[in-house]
Amino acid sequence: MSSKQPHRGQGPGGLAIETAGLVKTFGENRAVDGVDLAVPAGTVYGVLGPNGAGKTTTVKMLATLLRPDGGEAHVFGHDVVREADAVRRLVSLTGQYASVDEDLTGTENLVLLARLTGHPKKAAYARAEQLLDAFGLGDAASRQVKHYSGGMRRRIDIAASILNTPDLLFLDEPTTGLDPRSRNQVWDIVRAVVAHGTTVLLTTQYLDEADQLAARIAVIDKGKVIAEGTKGELKASVGAGSVHVRLRHADQRAEAQDVLRLALDAAIQLEPDPVALTARVGEGSSNGRGAAEQASRALAELARAGITVDNFSLGQPSLDEVFLALTGHTSEPGSPDGTGPDTPQDLKEAEVSR
Ligand SMILES: Nc1ncnc2c1ncn2[C@@H]1O[C@H](COP(=O)(O)OP(=O)(O)O)[C@@H](O)[C@H]1O
Ligand SMILES: [Mg+2]
């Protein structure tokens, strides 16, 4: 009998996670300060924030490892405090609390965990082999995990956490400290996991990671959700796109600058490249025009003025720009506003990735 199949994709309103006013304090520190989340089932949901923002504390409460000091949280409709057992049957957590044993091999670890969760011996070996192959660890299957690289270690952590295909998987900074190639491998795994119907709550400090993987993103800073939405909504809420123009002739740039300033009603930046200009355009500005419409009007004005344009592009702002606009600081780890890698799990991660 499976207790989880009926749940898959079936929280109230199709939600895997719903929190209201979730709070966790450590002494005077409100680590999580009234967080509201609504995570649609069957998707990757990104919780994006700098070090110390409250990501891990939020995940721990949702995974029933920490008791909230205020507010409510439900996982597939189950209260994380009153129905903690039901929640535990549906979730799996990886990243910073991996249960793999350093002294065992890859195969031994997965077989042991599979046996512990009720797989008969043959099925346990089959599942272990399947996962090791899928995660590119086939060659390392009979090596002790302590000899794995940081990227391999992260992959076996995730493999261990999906042995039983959880309904909800928490991935707490799964790629922190990994090299780009290993990050890409983890990203592929996350995509595969969600394609099988598991909901993934992914925390990250990396804007591009949220951008790559998540359907919706909550931006969290100092224990509070400061923005939430799809990537497009988040970018649009910052209210700008960027128009990039390259001219045929550098001596037309001054005139092009004047034309664009009037057409877009925006400050025009001159790029180091003598034929290039950049302008920020409003999204849904007061005149009701979207960025694309404003941009095409600007192009027409340039043509009318006899200015030859070689290249023209309209881009959305990056998530970096979104974060900067929302918080007044960048999300770079170790930025002046960051708290630095000081939490125990961050240290643990740093060790793993070495
Ligand atoms: N067990 C704890 N005891 C005291 N303070 C903690 C504990 N865990 C986290 N904190 C503090 O709570 C805040 C949020 O931490 P955390 O949730 O780990 O952030 P993140 O995972 O986003 O880096 C930080 O200020 C951190 O120092
Ligand atoms: Mg953390």
Side-chain angles (χ1 to χ4, degrees), residues 58-265:
T58 301
V59 165
K60 281 185 178 174
M61 287 190 280
L62 294 172
T64 76
L65 298 176
L66 259 187
R67 202 186 162 92
D69 293 317
E72 286 193 25
H74 290 87
V75 170
F76 291 107
H78 298 290
D79 187 290
V80 296
V81 176
R82 287 191 300 274
E83 302 171 87
D85 288 341
V87 172
R88 279 186 207 120
R89 280 195 288 275
L90 298 169
V91 307
S92 186
L93 174 63
T94 190
Q96 301 178 329
Y97 312 93
S99 42
V100 300
D101 184 330
E102 300 259 309
D103 289 321
L104 299 182
T105 67
T107 300
E108 286 166 351
N109 265 299
L110 295 189
V111 168
L112 177 68
L113 289 168
R115 298 285 279 145
L116 285 174
T117 51
H119 286 73
K121 195 166 175 183
K122 227 177 130 180
Y125 273 95
R127 181 72 177 139
E129 195 185 332
Q130 179 191 36
L131 282 171
L132 289 163
D133 282 345
F135 286 27
L137 294 169
D139 292 343
S142 54
R143 238 186 291 160
Q144 283 176 307
V145 166
K146 65 179 166 204
H147 299 305
Y148 280 19
S149 69
M152 291 162 71
R153 174 60 196 255
R154 216 63 63 86
R155 278 180 277 149
I156 195 146
D157 287 347
I158 300 175
S161 64
I162 64 167
L163 267 170
N164 294 298
T165 324
D167 288 283
L168 173 59
L169 174 64
F170 296 105
L171 292 174
D172 193 10
E173 297 197 28
T175 67
T176 295
L178 293 187
D179 60 81
R181 184 163 163 271
S182 300
R183 287 180 78 200
N184 274 303
Q185 287 172 329
V186 170
W187 289 356
D188 285 344
I189 289 167
V190 175
R191 293 187 184 106
V193 167
V194 78
H196 277 85
T198 293
T199 305
V200 176
L201 184 85
L202 170 102
T203 77
T204 183
Q205 302 186 33
Y206 303 122
L207 302 156
D208 62 326
E209 182 158 285
D211 207 358
Q212 284 280 332
L213 295 176
R216 297 185 72 87
I217 297 167
V219 184
I220 168 171
D221 192 42
K222 301 187 176 80
K224 288 188 159 67
V225 176
I226 55 170
E228 202 278 340
T230 63
K231 283 174 283 192
E233 283 167 357
L234 279 182
K235 288 172 177 174
S237 75
V238 175
S242 306
V243 170
H244 302 279
V245 181
R246 285 177 60 83
L247 306 175
R248 172 83 45 89
H249 309 290
D251 60 7
Q252 292 190 315
R253 187 159 82 158
E255 194 186 352
Q257 187 178 13
D258 291 339
V259 170
L260 287 172
R261 189 187 298 119
L262 279 174
L264 295 170
D265 191 21

Side-chain angles (χ1 to χ4, degrees), residues 55-56 96 172-173 343 345-346:
K55 302 181 298 296
T56 297
Q96 301 178 329
D172 193 10
E173 297 197 28
T343 54
Q345 64 273 18
D346 291 318

